[in-house]
Amino acid sequence: MREQLMSSTLDAAARGQKWEYLVITTGPDQALAEVRRRLAEHAEYGRWELQRTVHYRGGARRYWMRRRVMRVASTLTAV
């Protein structure tokens, strides 16, 4: 299973983007139950939501997950 973050949070916030994406690619030899467990963990703990799923002819699968870019205001004061 390969995971690729499409844009980091700092880059996405600087460019004014609303979403950041995580692409998960699985091979045909991986169990669907294991993939579902992994996607559920990302959704529950990382606040990701499943946006798109593609099943390829050879059995490989690719999942696009997205979440809103969290903009945080600095609490540090300039001295």
Side-chain angles (χ1 to χ4, degrees):
M1 187 175 308
R2 191 176 78 191
E3 298 177 10
Q4 178 183 5
L5 187 62
M6 294 305 287
S7 65
S8 71
T9 304
L10 294 176
D11 291 341
R15 287 182 273 161
Q17 293 178 343
K18 294 183 180 182
W19 301 98
E20 61 181 336
Y21 295 89
L22 175 67
V23 179
I24 299 174
T25 305
T26 62
D29 58 333
Q30 292 185 316
L32 189 56
E34 174 66 22
V35 174
R36 284 182 181 158
R37 184 188 64 77
R38 197 75 182 266
L39 293 172
E41 285 179 0
H42 279 295
E44 186 174 350
Y45 299 115
R47 302 185 74 187
W48 293 95
E49 62 184 39
L50 185 63
Q51 181 194 17
R52 182 176 181 208
T53 303
V54 176
H55 296 253
Y56 294 103
R57 182 177 280 184
R61 298 179 208 99
R62 185 170 285 169
Y63 303 93
W64 280 265
M65 299 187 82
R66 71 178 185 175
R67 69 177 171 190
R68 286 202 176 272
V69 173
M70 294 177 245
R71 292 180 177 83
V72 181
S74 176
T75 58
L76 302 175
T77 58
V79 177

